[in-house]
Amino acid sequence: MVFVDGSLNVVVIGDWNRIYSKPEWIAKEIFDANEMNIKVDGWGNNFKLYFEKDNVVIIPKQERVTFRALNLKDNTLEYFIGCINNYLNKAQTPKLTAYGLNIDLHDDDSNVFADEIDQMRDINPLIEAGYEILDTRIEREIKKDDTGKIQMIVDLNKDGTLKLHINEEYQEKEWKPIDLDFIKKYFRHCREIAACLGYTVKEDFDEK
């Protein structure tokens, strides 16, 4: 099983002035750059702006800001963390309610976990009734002492692959700057959860 590049997000829920979504403000105040890549997704009043610099993407909206790392190398993660802390120190909001981390993991072979799914009581009756099971999704909410509330979603796809989505949420009314250790603790939680499903997470990025 591997972490999927471009799927690590930190999402912060609050209420921001629109000035903090302006391209010139993001470039100067957050990326400290004269240039950055801009992508527009959607049209009319229903669109998103994506600002990208050095493998870090910021997607600002009034009610939430999403930060995305396009790879998991230490230098990208350090810049990613710096952008998050920089944004939330400068673009303060009186209504911060929560923040969360989420990431996807992928494995080409779903059979390890599929053996457990096959024990579900509805499998044989559905097949005997003539139904074809196209995809299976299992969702749980879990928590332990050193984590936020974790939502884990397991998707077993018809093509035999498995996707694990892990979202860890913290209910906070005040931003506490994060660091690389915080992100890597989250990765450890992801590995623990994957191991509980019978998978070992491979790494192709720096791990300290």
Side-chain angles (χ1 to χ4, degrees):
M1 180 170 278
V2 296
F3 288 109
V4 177
D5 269 351
S7 70
L8 173 63
N9 297 291
V10 169
V11 181
V12 187
I13 308 299
D15 184 16
W16 282 273
N17 189 296
R18 291 184 180 179
I19 191 174
Y20 302 129
S21 298
K22 291 185 177 295
E24 56 270 23
W25 189 88
I26 297 286
K28 179 181 177 182
E29 299 294 336
I30 308 306
F31 289 139
D32 190 25
N34 294 321
E35 296 182 353
M36 64 181 179
N37 295 321
I38 301 176
K39 175 185 173 184
V40 179
D41 184 17
W43 58 87
N45 292 324
N46 186 24
F47 69 93
K48 292 180 181 178
L49 287 173
Y50 294 74
F51 304 118
E52 188 265 326
K53 178 73 175 175
D54 295 338
N55 293 309
V56 171
V57 178
I58 300 175
I59 310 166
K61 298 188 71 175
Q62 183 175 346
E63 73 281 2
R64 69 174 57 208
V65 183
T66 301
F67 303 88
R68 179 172 299 156
L70 298 183
N71 65 56
L72 301 179
K73 296 178 180 178
D74 269 2
N75 59 345
T76 298
L77 292 177
E78 292 278 15
Y79 186 55
F80 174 65
I81 291 162
C83 289
I84 296 170
N85 289 329
N86 195 15
Y87 188 98
L88 291 161
N89 285 333
K90 293 180 177 179
Q92 297 184 6
T93 171
K95 295 184 179 180
L96 183 71
T97 57
Y99 67 90
L101 307 89
N102 62 73
I103 199 167
D104 293 333
L105 297 94
H106 172 88
D107 199 282
D108 288 332
D109 183 8
S110 66
N111 288 332
V112 174
F113 192 62
D115 291 342
E116 302 295 327
I117 299 299
D118 288 343
Q119 305 304 313
M120 295 177 66
R121 295 179 61 183
D122 66 335
I123 297 292
N124 288 333
L126 285 170
I127 293 173
E128 290 169 3
Y131 290 96
E132 179 185 6
I133 298 173
L134 302 178
D135 298 293
T136 298
R137 167 172 286 198
I138 295 176
E139 183 174 335
R140 296 188 190 276
E141 284 192 358
I142 58 177
K143 191 180 187 312
K144 67 178 188 177
D145 290 344
D146 65 339
T147 74
K149 182 178 73 174
I150 295 176
Q151 179 191 46
M152 53 176 286
I153 300 173
V154 185
D155 284 311
L156 284 80
N157 303 314
K158 188 179 180 181
D159 63 3
T161 63
L162 180 143
K163 184 179 83 171
L164 173 61
H165 177 81
I166 299 176
N167 181 79
E168 186 167 339
E169 180 182 309
Y170 292 85
Q171 298 289 331
E172 298 285 352
K173 295 188 181 300
E174 183 176 334
W175 177 251
K176 299 175 182 177
I178 61 174
D179 58 19
L180 189 59
D181 287 340
F182 178 80
I183 297 292
K184 293 198 172 182
K185 183 177 78 168
Y186 170 64
F187 290 159
R188 289 195 295 272
H189 297 160
C190 293
R191 289 191 204 93
E192 288 175 353
I193 292 168
C196 291
L197 302 180
Y199 292 90
T200 299
V201 179
K202 299 176 182 177
E203 299 154 14
D204 59 357
F205 57 97
D206 301 329
E207 180 66 18
K208 295 178 181 176

